[in-house]
Amino acid sequence: MNAQSTPRISADGTVLHLLLGEAETRFHAIWLRDNALDADTRDPGNGQRLITLGDLPDTVTLTDARLAEGQLHITFQPEGKTCAFPLRWLADHTYDTSAPAPLLTKNVTPWDSAMAPPSADLTALQTNDDTRRDWLASIRRYGFAKVTGMTPREGGLFDIVDLFGYVRETNYGRLFEVRTEVNPTNLAYTGLGLQAHTDNPYRDPVPTLQVLACLENSATGGENMVVDGFAAALRLRDENPAGFDLLAGYPMRFAYTGSAGVALHSRRPMIELSPDGTLQSIRFNARSAAPCTDVPFDKMADWYAAYRRLSDIIDDTAQEVHFKLAPGEAFIVDNTRVLHARKGYSGAGNRWLQGCYADKDGLLSTLAALEAQDA
Amino acid sequence: MNAQSTPRISADGTVLHLLLGEAETRFHAIWLRDNALDADTRDPGNGQRLITLGDLPDTVTLTDARLAEGQLHITFQPEGKTCAFPLRWLADHTYDTSAPAPLLTKNVTPWDSAMAPPSADLTALQTNDDTRRDWLASIRRYGFAKVTGMTPREGGLFDIVDLFGYVRETNYGRLFEVRTEVNPTNLAYTGLGLQAHTDNPYRDPVPTLQVLACLENSATGGENMVVDGFAAALRLRDENPAGFDLLAGYPMRFAYTGSAGVALHSRRPMIELSPDGTLQSIRFNARSAAPCTDVPFDKMADWYAAYRRLSDIIDDTAQEVHFKLAPGEAFIVDNTRVLHARKGYSGAGNRWLQGCYADKDGLLSTLAALEAQDA
């Protein structure tokens, strides 16, 4: 550290100026105090904060900033409490930037039909942490991955969920059968082709992951397809930014009332952004789209034009990756991002898939823990 | 119907003008066509849409609008397809309004310490649909209800979830024990008092319901409290609209890494609005609040002031309903809205609660189905 890196405190004591790497960055006294890392502020065992904002003085100021051994030592007033912050930790948590929030988070890469589907063998996933980490990372990056080498048995798909988390049970059960039924409660249970869609947008919270595993597939047709909803939304945004803003700016309605005792309704946008504009999730499902009643009359024609264009983009084969699952193969999609579809099927032979839902919290947590283990 | 109620089609054929009740309202041709109720557009069995926007002509126009027997009959061009819409259905789905989206949806009523906690007996809930419907409706309205008359046994809280839906399993298990532990992985498993909070804000999706059931409660202290997060947010908005907008306008970060193999992180605002401004959810938890790094430097001081004020409002006893659970009693909270807390406890005697998570989709669906059954 050279002389330039000496930390400086603003005249009123509320802001610290600090050279981190090449750039000067600033932290507020209240931010530093609230996020102090000492054992009276954070439980050393479980890392949870032991104080609330109400435990702090009304005004927090700083004195005596100095650097030693890669740490900032600083004293909070009126408490007279000195705390240390590793400079690396401060660099990882700087907020003094003029960059707007990115449209996509750093671990997300959009894709089109040229994507080679990530895939791994179930036994390898169960026995090799590196294989499992890389496969989970590909789901975080692409919202999609395949699994091979399953025993094609009932409930076998739970072995996939056990790799990272927990099944989300719903009115469809812990798992559901995807095969042709008489009097189907859902068009999924017919031989009809299905446009690419996210599942259960009428559910809030939506299931954030879906697994579909193949037990039999000797019917003609029935290929699966996946489409990156983020890539489709970005393409819409490039072509028609105002249309993108309309789909992101108003809630859509979705509904499902096809089974006795079930009346699911949601009110969420087709393109969901964080409040600072990061792409968060996609809901797209023609089957369960309810009448849209939250868009003002004067904007409805443009909203529908954008919706139709998004639908066309989703139907464009340039966006689509397709494959036919063999018995013992499965795929997982991030249901907040990647749409899935199937071609119609018919004729002799059978097509039998089993599906289940799960959630991303467990998947991302397991991945982050595996990555931390490597670090 | 009098002469005034004759429907009228705009010159270009894209808009229908219709008198519904006292007011004229308008519908777009594309909206009507997409939402047509005929058996070729919607499956008569399960109600799902059989077409996509790509199946429709590029431009849809209207001809031959007429009313008969409480229905609008209208012909879509160029398809030459005539469809009927019940006027009551149209009135229920009108979107030609200048009213902005409400801050609270119609089934939500904010409350403070004067609220009398809704409560029902478990056996009545299991055997009487009216009791169950009213109890579920009170959870939709207040985000909180109690249950009495449980057998205080392990896993007994699942009987509550069975009334409406499904357990959300997490890394904490299908249920978790809330009692004092040595080396606790979470401060909940100590005798410490806990500020009112929503659970697991570091999880995305967050569990939208929580059930806490009492098996033993002979310790001194340990009362439970609940606070309406929507009421707290509205109070902040009244006092400091700019501060409300800051908390709603930027993501907060939450994290939990207190157990081996678990590294949960989320990036969601403390006050979450729909894109058109309806209050959607609250996340508030000092223990698991991670450093906020998404608020620009120039706004951080005001953001912290709003956060501190929200924390003070949440701590204000004027907002708080408190009660001590007896063995065999439980409560459920909407974890996207209502914060819960407990006072510290100690001394002789035991405090043993079991908790589990579930989701609102099932609860609201069961309620809507019970209401439809009455209609």
Side-chain angles (χ1 to χ4, degrees), chain B residues 109-124:
Chain B
T109 304
W111 49 265
D112 61 17
S113 62
M115 182 189 64
S119 185
D121 172 78
L122 180 61
T123 304

Side-chain angles (χ1 to χ4, degrees), chain B residues 60-373:
Chain B
V60 176
T61 57
L62 303 170
T63 58
D64 303 301
R66 64 186 175 82
L67 300 180
E69 293 170 12
Q71 299 205 97
L72 167 74
H73 297 261
I74 198 151
T75 303
F76 296 103
Q77 303 297 353
E79 292 176 281
K81 175 186 180 74
T82 299
C83 295
F85 294 85
L87 293 180
R88 171 173 299 215
W89 185 93
L90 289 169
D92 286 344
H93 292 89
T94 182
Y95 58 90
D96 187 7
T97 165
S98 55
L103 196 58
L104 295 176
T105 52
K106 69 177 161 54
N107 290 316
V108 167
T109 304
W111 49 265
D112 61 17
S113 62
M115 182 189 64
S119 185
D121 172 78
L122 180 61
T123 304
L125 288 167
Q126 289 168 325
T127 55
N128 186 318
D129 274 358
D130 289 349
T131 304
R132 189 158 60 114
R133 181 201 58 216
D134 293 349
W135 181 78
L136 293 172
S138 71
I139 298 168
R140 185 174 61 188
R141 181 158 302 285
Y142 303 110
F144 169 71
K146 285 179 66 179
V147 177
T148 58
M150 293 176 55
T151 308
R153 61 174 174 81
E154 293 207 41
L157 79 178
F158 294 142
D159 292 345
I160 297 175
V161 178
D162 288 342
L163 294 168
F164 58 78
Y166 306 90
V167 167
R168 171 99 75 92
E169 187 172 358
T170 70
N171 52 290
Y172 298 128
R174 278 178 64 78
L175 66 75
F176 45 89
E177 309 287 349
V178 184
R179 54 181 164 186
T180 301
E181 288 181 2
V182 181
N183 298 324
T185 55
N186 194 300
L187 296 175
Y189 313 149
T190 67
L192 289 176
L194 299 175
Q195 186 190 26
H197 60 278
T198 62
D199 256 44
N200 292 17
Y202 43 74
R203 201 180 290 286
D204 192 0
V206 76
T208 51
L209 294 170
Q210 176 169 16
V211 177
L212 279 166
C214 180
L215 283 82
E216 288 184 68
N217 207 0
S218 55
T220 302
E223 287 87 359
N224 280 99
M225 295 171 277
V226 285
V227 172
D228 182 2
F230 281 6
L234 293 176
R235 190 170 150 194
L236 175 69
R237 186 170 176 269
D238 284 343
E239 293 179 8
N240 179 3
F244 176 93
D245 289 346
L246 283 173
L247 295 189
Y250 292 97
M252 179 56 175
R253 305 265 183 152
F254 297 95
Y256 174 77
T257 56
S259 314
V262 175
L264 288 156
H265 300 273
S266 74
R267 180 184 186 274
R268 290 274 185 172
M270 271 191 272
I271 298 174
E272 187 172 358
L273 306 178
S274 73
D276 55 348
T278 299
L279 200 45
Q280 199 142 267
S281 54
I282 300 292
R283 291 175 185 80
F284 189 91
N285 191 319
R287 275 176 294 149
S288 55
C292 174
T293 54
D294 298 289
V295 175
F297 179 85
D298 291 344
K299 295 182 174 170
M300 187 63 89
D302 289 340
W303 183 90
Y304 250 105
Y307 179 18
R308 183 189 287 253
R309 182 60 195 145
L310 180 62
S311 178
D312 288 347
I313 292 170
I314 285 165
D315 289 343
D316 183 348
T317 55
Q319 302 293 141
E320 156 196 326
V321 167
H322 54 96
F323 50 91
K324 184 160 182 170
L325 289 181
E329 294 186 340
F331 70 94
I332 180 168
V333 286
D334 177 344
N335 190 51
T336 68
R337 170 183 172 188
V338 171
L339 298 79
H340 61 286
R342 68 141 187 262
K343 295 195 172 147
Y345 63 93
S346 61
N350 292 310
R351 185 179 189 272
W352 179 22
L353 270 57
Q354 290 190 323
C356 73
Y357 299 118
D359 278 306
K360 281 174 72 176
D361 58 335
L363 188 149
L364 295 175
S365 170
T366 301
L367 173 55
L370 286 168
E371 288 175 332
Q373 175 178 307

Side-chain angles (χ1 to χ4, degrees), chain A residues 36-58:
Chain A
L37 303 165
D38 65 291
D40 294 324
T41 306
R42 287 268 182 190
D43 186 285
N46 56 44
Q48 294 189 297
R49 188 183 279 93
L50 294 159
I51 61 165
T52 73
L53 286 177
D55 295 325
L56 297 180
D58 281 344

Side-chain angles (χ1 to χ4, degrees), chain A residues 194-197 223-226 331 339-343:
Chain A
L194 299 174
Q195 186 191 25
H197 60 278
E223 286 87 0
N224 280 99
M225 295 171 276
V226 286
F331 70 95
L339 298 79
H340 61 286
R342 69 142 186 261
K343 296 195 173 146

Side-chain angles (χ1 to χ4, degrees), chain A residues 21 36 44 64 80 119 161 181-182 186-187 201 221 240-241 247 262 301 303 337 349 362 365:
Chain A
D64 304 300
S119 184
V161 178
E181 288 182 1
V182 181
N186 194 300
L187 296 175
N240 178 4
L247 295 189
V262 175
W303 184 90
R337 170 182 172 190
S365 169

